Amino acid sequence: MTFDAIYIWVSFKVAIRFLHVTLLLSVIPLCVGVVLGIPIAVVRKFHLRVVSQAVSALIPALRGIPVVLYILILNFLILKPLDKLSEYYDWADRLRLMDKIYIGIVAMSAYAAVVISETLRGALNSVPDGQYEACVSVGLTRFQALRRIIMPQALAFAVPVLCNNFIGLIKGSSIVYVIGILDVLNGAMTSAQINYRFLEAYIAAALVYWALCIAVERGSWLLEKRFKRH
Amino acid sequence: MGKLFDIALVFEYMPAIVSRISVTLLIVSVSVGGGTLLGLLLATVRLYRVPVLNALAVFYISFVRGTPVIIQMFIVYYGFPILLNNFGVNINRWDKLYFVLIAYALNNAAFMAEIIRSAIASVPAGQTEAAWSVGLSGFQTFRRIVLPQAFFIAFPAFGTRVINAMQDTSLAFTLGILDMLGQAEAIGIRTYHVLEGYVVVALVFIAASLLLEKGFAWAGKKLLPAVG
């Protein structure tokens, strides 16, 4: 086997066609992660009885599970019951054609919620206690304090870390490879199945991820500059 | 096919899967050890701004941090034999595990380089100046003043990296390595029961992550000199 750079370009053109899949698999989980992460972080910060203890036990454990297991386990849990149903109702063909991207999005979102809730908890903790006390002393309700005083400050801290989480999600989304979703990585590999240029195809896929991550890093840097103004 | 999930099978598969943790630990220790040494080299190149090498180091670190580790693993697997063939070395008969070890060591090197570099850079310049003013040489300043402080700054990030490196090794099975997940998949092919195996692997990862986290937190407290 020899190396021929021209095949990188061949694979690159195929891989770029699946860019939207990789973006779906990382942008949606990012949003879901923030939406689910805020209540999880707030509950832990204010030590709401019972809920807080349950969440505080669960999150560190869930953080220990690698992304690939989220994908494999949820793939199994979503597909198997459907399999049973399809045997019953004779949906076999429809199921085989069902796009697995939804499974990927669910799995990545579950993973993102865990990671981002930790990011947001760190952000809430970064706001000095005096700020919370000052809110109480001027008679703000807990919700008002959060919305007007705490969150804006916490956000400034959270933005660069969230961008890092986002980069992690973009890279992590490539692992849907194991359940055969056609994303950038798998898309690049489809060209290699024809011409057997695996190394070139992997390099092409890597270039797409690299460009994406550099773009997010740039965006993170610009956002940080905006927040620094206050 | 029977039930979706059988708790009895979890206990039945446990010994076979848990015994493969040795593979995971081997990959983690070799790649973190090798990665730290390589990272030191890269960080030195970056800190001294060695011409040409510095640009290469920046390029390399950016690539590793900006691409998925699973792709890096396959690039090493397909690329190394081609690369070494040019020098007349044939490694086509190599065990796949060697490629995994090299790939993960190269991956960790980039992360370690950044941790080491930013830790050394974040020691206040006044510390170096103070050391010079009392007559320490450049090397003494580094060894006695800068390095100990950088070490404490880097320690938490190092711990996080080791835990992340361990989670990353869960991808080695895609190359056909018989680690814990590889074993779970093998059992799944034999018995049509794969979920129970996944659960065992997840439990081992949870336990190992929590242990490492607690261990690094404890070591951090123990190592920190009494301040104030």
Side-chain angles (χ1 to χ4, degrees), chain A residues 1 60-61 63-66 68-69 72-73 76-77 80 171 174-175 177-178 185 198-199 202 205-206 209-210 213, chain B residues 4 59 62-63 65-68 70-71 74-75 78-79 167 170-171 174 181 194-195 198 201-202 205-206 209 213:
Chain A
M1 234 15 219
R63 224 184 27 202
I65 304 174
V68 68
L69 277 168
L72 289 171
I73 290 174
F76 186 91
L77 286 179
K80 274 290 175 248
K171 292 194 293 181
S174 65
I175 300 166
Y177 174 83
V178 297
L185 175 54
F198 290 100
L199 175 61
Y202 281 114
Y209 286 104
W210 196 12
C213 291
Chain B
L4 263 188
F59 180 83
S62 168
F63 178 83
R65 289 168 54 117
T67 57
I70 189 168
I71 297 185
F74 282 108
I75 286 178
Y78 287 109
Q167 293 198 358
S170 61
L171 298 175
T174 54
L181 250 182
V194 74
L195 184 61
Y198 291 158
V201 180
F205 269 108
I206 290 171
S209 293
E213 221 170 294

Side-chain angles (χ1 to χ4, degrees), chain A:
Chain A
M1 234 15 219
T2 52
F3 178 77
D4 191 347
I6 193 77
Y7 287 100
I8 296 178
W9 176 239
V10 172
S11 286
F12 186 86
K13 281 188 294 192
V14 182
I16 209 88
R17 287 216 306 266
F18 296 95
L19 186 63
H20 65 285
V21 180
T22 288
L23 285 173
L24 281 176
L25 284 168
S26 48
V27 175
I28 296 175
L30 177 74
C31 301
V32 173
V34 171
V35 170
L36 292 178
I38 290 175
I40 294 173
V42 169
V43 160
R44 288 183 75 179
K45 176 76 194 171
F46 293 120
H47 304 294
L48 297 176
R49 273 181 299 279
V50 187
V51 189
S52 161
Q53 277 129 11
V55 173
S56 297
L58 205 61
I59 297 285
L62 289 176
R63 224 184 27 202
I65 304 174
V67 195
V68 68
L69 277 168
Y70 278 88
I71 292 167
L72 289 171
I73 290 174
L74 279 162
N75 180 46
F76 186 91
L77 286 179
I78 294 171
L79 273 189
K80 274 290 175 248
L82 280 177
D83 257 354
K84 290 258 192 292
L85 282 174
S86 69
E87 271 171 39
Y88 195 78
Y89 289 113
D90 211 17
W91 291 339
D93 280 346
R94 208 188 293 178
L95 200 68
R96 216 166 292 130
L97 297 171
M98 189 185 88
D99 201 346
K100 279 189 163 188
I101 187 168
Y102 302 109
I103 295 172
I105 290 173
V106 170
M108 291 303 293
S109 297
Y111 171 74
V114 173
V115 174
I116 291 172
S117 78
E118 287 285 288
T119 299
L120 295 173
R121 195 170 67 103
L124 283 180
N125 284 337
S126 76
V127 179
D129 282 341
Q131 296 283 332
Y132 289 89
E133 287 155 16
C135 291
V136 176
S137 75
V138 294
L140 291 179
T141 64
R142 192 174 263 179
F143 182 75
Q144 282 176 321
L146 263 181
R147 220 196 75 45
R148 300 190 185 170
I149 312 293
I150 308 299
M151 277 298 172
Q153 295 181 71
L155 201 64
F157 174 92
V159 162
V161 192
L162 278 175
C163 287
N164 259 338
N165 294 157
F166 186 37
I167 289 173
L169 290 174
I170 291 170
K171 292 194 293 181
S173 73
S174 65
I175 300 166
V176 297
Y177 174 83
V178 297
I179 59 169
I181 296 173
L182 275 176
D183 65 334
V184 167
L185 175 54
N186 255 325
M189 294 334 288
T190 52
S191 64
Q193 260 119 42
I194 299 161
N195 59 24
Y196 291 102
R197 297 285 181 165
F198 290 100
L199 175 61
E200 290 85 343
Y202 281 114
I203 290 173
L207 291 176
V208 179
Y209 286 104
W210 196 12
L212 265 179
C213 291
I214 288 173
V216 174
E217 230 166 38
R218 254 300 118 96
S220 162
W221 183 73
L222 290 172
L223 277 172
E224 229 179 317
K225 254 177 53 174
R226 269 201 53 186
F227 276 106
K228 280 267 154 65
R229 282 203 317 236
H230 304 301

